[in-house]
Amino acid sequence: MSMFSRNKRRLSADLNTASLPDLIFTVLFFFMIVTNMKHDELKVNLRMPEGKQLEKLTNKSNTLYIYIGQTTRDRSDNGTESVCMQVNDRYVAIEELACYVQDVRSRMSPEDQKNMKVSIKADRNAPMGFVNDVKQILRSSYVLDIVYSAETERQR
């Protein structure tokens, strides 16, 4: 007779999965609360021009947004609002634009650097000379893929 019997049925411990949905929803809510969606806070007054043939921008991860419009902070001394430029979330002077674009580009991966786009969202009353100056600076920084943003034309 042996001490250990081979005829005994082996008992397996079953895993209780009753609390698994609670755990999954807790993790889901945690990520929903912690994750921050990127939204630019507009610091310029912007009324976009209207267009007829518009295409939606597909890949927005490697896009730099430039907003051109009237400043919302304060008025200049002579009572007229001045034109200013906001790049992503901060004001950038036109003289600093090339350095700022190079800095943003250096933080991107090499794959995104090749596909970098600039979306210009200019006010419909912004001076075209200012927009052209921005475009020339982007061209000298070798940013050649420029997209102009507009709203869809309203039905009249």
Side-chain angles (χ1 to χ4, degrees), residues 43-46 68-74 80-84 91 123 125-127:
K43 299 176 183 175
V44 296
N45 290 331
L46 191 64
I68 300 172
Q70 307 294 332
T71 181
T72 58
R73 310 188 261 199
D74 54 353
T80 61
E81 294 181 345
S82 60
V83 176
C84 64
Y91 286 114
D123 186 63
N125 297 324

Side-chain angles (χ1 to χ4, degrees), residues 84-87 90-98 100 130:
C84 64
M85 177 175 46
Q86 175 186 342
V87 182
R90 60 179 270 220
Y91 286 114
V92 175
I94 197 161
E95 300 85 21
E96 302 170 352
L97 181 61
Y100 188 81
F130 191 84

Side-chain angles (χ1 to χ4, degrees), residues 8-73:
K8 286 186 181 177
R9 213 167 71 178
R10 293 188 181 177
L11 298 174
S12 64
D14 291 332
L15 183 62
N16 186 4
T17 59
S19 63
L20 192 59
D22 295 335
L23 179 67
I24 290 173
F25 283 119
T26 304
V27 171
L28 177 69
F29 286 131
F30 171 76
F31 284 117
M32 286 174 55
I33 292 171
V34 173
T35 304
N36 187 4
M37 301 301 275
K38 181 183 175 191
H39 293 287
D40 293 335
E41 178 185 338
L42 282 180
K43 299 176 183 175
V44 296
N45 290 331
L46 191 64
R47 281 188 27 219
M48 304 258 285
E50 296 176 353
K52 293 181 182 178
Q53 297 178 347
L54 303 176
E55 293 180 22
K56 200 163 202 156
L57 193 61
T58 54
N59 190 2
K60 296 180 181 181
S61 65
N62 54 357
T63 304
L64 179 71
Y65 293 95
I66 298 177
Y67 304 97
I68 300 172
Q70 307 294 332
T71 181
T72 58
R73 310 188 261 199

Side-chain angles (χ1 to χ4, degrees), residues 88-114:
N88 287 341
D89 252 349
R90 60 179 270 220
Y91 286 114
V92 175
I94 197 161
E95 300 85 21
E96 302 170 352
L97 181 61
C99 294
Y100 188 81
V101 168
Q102 292 301 329
D103 183 45
V104 169
R105 181 183 279 168
S106 67
R107 287 186 264 138
M108 288 182 171
S109 68
E111 187 78 22
D112 285 342
Q113 286 179 1
K114 293 176 190 174

